[in-house]
Every structure is written in C-alpha cells, then in structure tokens.
Amino acid sequence: MLEIQNQFSQQWAALCGEATRGALAPVADPRFAGQAWANSPAHAFMAHAYLLSARTLLQMADNVDVPDAAREQIRFAMMQWIDAMAPSNFLALNPDAQQKFISSGGESLQQGIVNLLNDLQKGRISNTDETSFEIGKSIATTEGAVVFENALFQLIQYTPRTPRVHARPLVIVPPCINKFYILDLQANNSFVRYALEQGISVFLVSWRNPLTTDTDGIQQATWDDYIDHGVIKALTVAQEVSGQDQVNTLGFCVGGTLLATALAVLEARGESPAASMTLLTTLLDFHDTGVLKVFVNEAQAKLREVQFAQGGLLAARELGNTFAFLRPNDLVWNNVVNNYLKGEAPSAFDLLFWNADGTNLPGPFYAWYLRNTYLENNLKIPGKTTVCGQPLDLTTLSVPTYLYGSRDDHIVPWTSAFASTHLLQGPTRFVLGASGHIAGVINSPVKNRRNYWVNDVVANGVAPATGADPQVWIDTARSVAGSWWPDWAAWLKSHSGAEVKAKTALGNKQHPVIEAAPGRYVLARAM
C-alpha cells in the first residue's frame, strides 16, 4: 500500500505541474471528451484528478490482503462507487451540461426533470426511445405461426423464405430471462430471418413471462419443468410437425444451458432427437463466470431457497438492475447525464428496446439454477445432480456442436464458452466473435461489421473432446472480416439433410396453427 501511496503522490505532483504550465493532455475518457471540458482548464484538471484517484483506489482494492472472492467483491463495490462519483454525473461539475443549460435558456434542465419524473413512474432509467418500436409491427416481424403452447412456452414455426429447404429443421431455445426477439429484431439484423433465407426451416421457443397475477402454478415452476415440459416438449413437437426423426438445435445463453441439459436427459432415456447442437455464449462449465461471481455465495443461495420455497417470482426489475450495473457507465450513468442533466431524448435502438423488455422468473427455477450452476458448478460433474429423474451427465453428449463465444463478453467469458470443448464428446467447432454478449451474436452480414476468429491449426478448426488450451487456440487462430453467421450457416447445412420443396402450410393436424407470430406470450410485460 505504501508503494501505491508514493506512486499517487508522484503522479499528483506531475499532474499539478502540467496544470500550472497549461500542458494538460486531452482526456481520452468519453465521459470527459466534450469540448467544454477541454476549454475549461479547471474542469480538465478535475477530470484528470478524478481518473488518477480512480486508478489508485482500484490498485488499493486489488492489493487488499483478503481471499480472492472477497477481493473481487471489494473491487466491484469500489468500481460502483468510483463510477457513481464521476464529476460528469453532477450538474454543478459537468461543463457540457452547464453549457447546454445556458444555451437553451434553462429548457434542458426543465426537460431533464420531465424525463426523470417519467422514469420514476416506470421504475427504471430509459436508455432508448421505446415508442419507436412495437412488437409484431416494427420488431419481431418475421412471418410465422404459433403451432403449440403450454403453461411454459409457445412454439413458433416460421414461414419458409426459399422455394426449397433442408429437410431437417432447426429448433431455437432462447434464454428465458429475456424475450426471444433478440434473435428476430428488424429485417436487416434478424438471425431467424437470415437462417430462413439460407433454406433452413426454423422453430423457436417463446418463453412465457410469468406475472404476479398468474394463478395457474407458474410461480412454482422448477428447472425440471423447464427441461421436460419446455425444451424436450418443443423438440418433440418440432419432430412431429416436420416429420423428421432428428432436428438441429440451437441454444443462446441460458437457453443453451437448458438445451444441453435436456439433450443429456434424453440421452439417459435412450433418445437422441438432435442431429446437431449450436451453443451461443453458453456456460456448461461455470468455473469462471466473470463479474457475475461477485453476486454468488452460499448465503445468497440459501436466502433464495428460503425466499422461493413456496414459489414466487424473481422480478425482471431485479435482474435488469443487476445486469445494468455490470456496465454502469454505459447503461446507467451515461443515461443519467444525457436524459436528466442535458434533457436529451434517448435515441431509438432496437437492442436497448429489447434489453428494457425484461421477464420475471419462477423462483424455484432460479434458486435451483443459482446453486447448481454459479455456486456449485454441478452440471459439469457426471452424476452430481439429478434432472427429471436422471443423473445428469453432459459428457454423454456426442452430437456435433458449434460453439460460439464473444471476445469481450462480460457475462459469459469466452474462455468459459470454450471450456465446453473439454466437456462435450462429439466433434466441436469453436468460433470467437468480436464485441460483447449481445452485440457479438447479433452481427448480421448485411452490415459487414466486426470480425471473428476461427482456428485452422488446431485440428483444422475442430476442437476434440479433450479440448485445446484457450490461449493456444487464440494464438494460432486467424481473423476473418465480417459476420460469423455465414460460417455457422455453412456448418449447419452440412447437418441439415437434402433439400426438399418448402411447405406453405404451417403446423399439421396434430398441431394446428393457434395464432400468428410472434404470439401472445411475448407481449406480456413485466412491471
């Protein structure tokens, strides 16, 4: 600690000297990059002093002599305090906001107060113009129909977009902690539409958003219920509608964990309905859960088990706040400054509209998930836990698998997504995309943005069940410009069977059309 203090004193003296000489460098941090900060020597010095103090406090947190888990919690708490105390977050200290106040004759502050009052009524900070989007009208518009529903989900079958399609369909399992339409935003960035345009028939699970007013038992739903009456039922219906003995499968985030668990349960029952599996930013081995681990401990797990022993709901607002404060500058304080201090209206952004449309979770489901994944990492240990009456063993899965991770993912570290290559027994292809948990996945070829990495050195891009070291993998990988979607589509087609004439009618006699996509379930909003 003494060394850190001495270093701070030296850097502080140097900073004061630069300020006295008028030689302060421009501040690179976007919070202080406005021209008003640069034009005011006092504010520029304040920004530099804040950043120096922030670095020093984090160094001190990193050097506290406590166990690693406690150190991570201290660092996270310190980071929250540091970000909250940024001078840019206060009207009295933010020259950009002050300048706008003066130039607008006070209207910016008046509008900021209106924005604040509106958000207080909603109970959350607005980070996009939510009036610009309507589910089924401007977002989630890919044509299709609901062909099955139960208390947990609706199954959407989408209308083919090519004259001929591959015989074997794809069944998509999205996360149940968010709405499915992250995979079907607008026409130019819809993953579902892209798959259809490649001649892939698509079924998709639309999870129900349980509400506090529901009285049909949904608040007592368990992990087993979501596996047996959710994922497994969806696979069965897709087989029955398509007439195929096997289907291709895809799981995103928690949806991938549910999917792999369901396929392992089916394997234990002697059933193999999947010809392939795609896992997008999915954890099966929870040894490293990134920043989320600061929220997980035995006391928290026991608290949730007691809280939800008789059922109940984990509120979407609680989940949303947790994820927002994983990136507070982007998802919290940036909006405080723009919406309230500057009185600006949030811009329209489909990803953020989806992000604000959270879902509740049945409490028993969540309590089981918290303990058996994030706390105890039981899914990776054969037979450590039982699901649907079967000892769970993910190592029995030998289905060809496409694994995708995002390099800057703060929710599913890419090395943890890569760890599934060590767990799964079948041939696996791992692809690493640029950007984060959501933006890395939703990277349409239409926009020709970002890049991805594949490995042509380690077993020609195929990681065997023994897996490679992730550092070796990335060191020998090559970068490819643009979207990873075409790479995935080419891989999926090799597991999709021959092309046949596309059927214009959706559903069948056993599972007739119930209603048009996107269905009723996705419209239920958590308050």
Side-chain angles (χ1 to χ4, degrees):
M1 289 296 183
L2 182 59
E3 182 181 349
I4 295 173
Q5 292 172 0
N6 290 335
Q7 184 182 51
F8 174 79
S9 297
Q10 294 170 6
Q11 292 175 338
W12 178 262
L15 177 62
C16 291
E18 291 172 357
T20 301
R21 297 191 305 272
L24 286 174
V27 182
D29 191 297
R31 291 173 292 180
F32 314 111
Q35 193 60 43
W37 289 92
N39 291 342
S40 170
H43 286 97
F45 176 77
M46 183 192 306
H48 278 285
Y50 163 78
L51 293 172
L52 172 58
S53 300
R55 290 194 299 271
T56 303
L57 287 170
L58 287 177
Q59 283 181 299
M60 294 176 71
D62 289 338
N63 283 273
V64 174
D65 187 15
V66 295
D68 290 345
R71 187 182 301 109
E72 289 288 342
Q73 291 175 329
I74 291 171
R75 193 182 202 282
F76 181 81
M78 181 64 74
M79 180 62 78
Q80 295 300 318
W81 185 83
I82 288 171
D83 289 345
M85 291 297 104
S88 53
N89 296 338
F90 301 90
L91 180 60
L93 302 176
N94 188 325
D96 277 335
Q98 294 168 7
Q99 188 177 72
K100 187 156 190 180
F101 173 80
I102 295 170
S103 63
S104 68
E107 290 185 8
S108 62
L109 182 57
Q110 181 180 8
Q111 184 58 51
I113 293 173
V114 172
N115 292 343
L116 174 61
L117 293 175
N118 288 336
D119 283 356
L120 287 173
Q121 286 185 322
K122 290 194 294 186
R124 54 184 169 81
I125 298 173
S126 296
N127 52 23
T128 189
D129 178 11
E130 297 177 16
T131 64
S132 298
F133 302 102
E134 184 179 354
I135 299 173
K137 300 293 184 181
S138 58
I139 206 165
T141 59
T142 301
E143 298 84 358
V146 174
V147 296
F148 176 84
E149 67 181 35
N150 64 15
L152 292 178
F153 75 100
Q154 289 186 317
L155 186 67
I156 300 171
Q157 181 186 14
Y158 287 96
T159 304
R161 299 188 65 84
T162 55
R164 298 181 66 79
V165 298
H166 289 272
R168 185 174 292 140
L170 172 68
V171 180
I172 298 177
V173 183
C176 54
I177 63 172
N178 293 104
K179 301 288 182 68
F180 81 81
Y181 63 85
I182 185 60
L183 296 170
D184 184 31
L185 291 169
Q186 301 182 78
N188 66 349
N189 63 351
S190 168
F191 183 85
V192 169
R193 187 179 292 260
Y194 176 81
L196 293 168
E197 290 170 348
Q198 307 311 303
I200 303 297
S201 299
V202 177
F203 292 82
L204 185 145
V205 172
S206 173
W207 295 108
R208 178 179 169 190
N209 180 12
L211 304 177
T212 56
T213 54
D214 291 333
T215 58
D216 64 346
I218 185 70
Q219 298 186 27
Q220 284 76 41
T222 64
W223 180 266
D224 281 17
D225 291 330
Y226 272 73
I227 296 299
D228 215 351
H229 306 301
V231 179
I232 291 177
K233 186 61 178 179
L235 297 177
T236 300
V237 173
Q239 288 174 287
E240 292 168 348
V241 172
S242 67
Q244 294 292 308
D245 293 333
Q246 288 189 313
V247 297
N248 292 312
T249 62
L250 181 150
F252 182 10
C253 190
V254 180
T257 310
L258 285 164
L259 173 62
T261 302
L263 293 182
V265 168
L266 288 169
E267 190 72 26
R269 294 175 179 175
E271 303 176 43
S272 301
S276 75
M277 177 170 64
T278 298
L279 300 179
L280 308 181
T281 61
T282 292
L283 290 170
L284 300 181
D285 182 345
F286 286 73
H287 76 284
D288 178 10
T289 56
V291 70
L292 282 174
K293 62 188 173 186
V294 303
F295 297 104
V296 181
N297 53 51
E298 178 65 29
Q300 179 67 209
K302 284 184 177 178
L303 174 65
R304 295 303 193 180
E305 287 166 350
V306 171
Q307 178 185 1
F308 298 125
Q310 303 303 318
L313 297 178
L314 180 71
R317 185 175 300 173
E318 183 176 349
L319 285 170
N321 288 338
T322 297
F323 285 108
F325 279 96
L326 298 180
R327 295 170 52 202
N329 285 328
D330 293 333
L331 298 178
V332 179
W333 301 116
N334 180 61
N335 295 309
V336 167
V337 172
N338 292 333
N339 298 2
Y340 309 151
L341 302 191
K342 297 182 180 180
E344 297 174 353
S347 59
F349 189 22
D350 52 9
L351 281 177
L352 292 179
F353 173 83
W354 165 84
N355 188 63
D357 189 11
T359 62
N360 302 316
L361 280 180
F365 167 94
Y366 175 73
W368 190 97
Y369 176 63
L370 180 64
R371 175 170 294 281
N372 285 277
T373 58
Y374 282 90
L375 182 63
E376 297 182 357
N377 195 15
N378 289 335
L379 302 191
K380 70 168 290 188
I381 305 172
K384 182 65 182 297
T385 189
T386 299
V387 178
C388 299
Q390 302 291 340
L392 185 66
D393 187 356
L394 295 178
T395 66
T396 62
L397 296 179
S398 58
V399 61
T401 302
Y402 188 101
L403 298 169
Y404 169 87
S406 289
R407 187 160 192 175
D408 299 324
D409 195 337
H410 62 293
I411 296 174
V412 179
W414 79 265
T415 52
S416 295
F418 184 87
S420 294
T421 64
H422 296 256
L423 190 60
L424 302 172
Q425 298 300 304
T428 58
R429 177 171 178 79
F430 183 81
V431 171
L432 180 64
S435 195
H437 188 68
I438 298 299
V441 173
I442 309 306
N443 183 25
S444 170
V446 172
K447 299 185 177 181
N448 194 29
R449 298 174 60 192
R450 304 189 185 96
N451 68 300
Y452 64 97
W453 290 267
V454 294
N455 195 305
D456 300 318
V457 177
V458 179
N460 296 318
V462 177
T466 54
D469 180 271
Q471 191 59 51
V472 172
W473 188 93
I474 191 62
D475 287 345
T476 54
R478 63 182 175 90
S479 174
V480 181
S483 169
W484 60 271
W485 292 9
D487 182 89
W488 168 78
W491 178 89
L492 185 67
K493 288 177 184 178
S494 69
H495 300 286
S496 297
E499 290 188 351
V500 298
K501 185 178 179 180
K503 296 180 180 179
T504 56
L506 302 180
N508 60 10
K509 290 183 179 180
Q510 186 178 0
H511 301 291
V513 168
I514 297 172
E515 61 185 350
R520 306 185 316 282
Y521 283 15
V522 75
L523 301 179
R525 292 188 68 91
M527 303 304 293

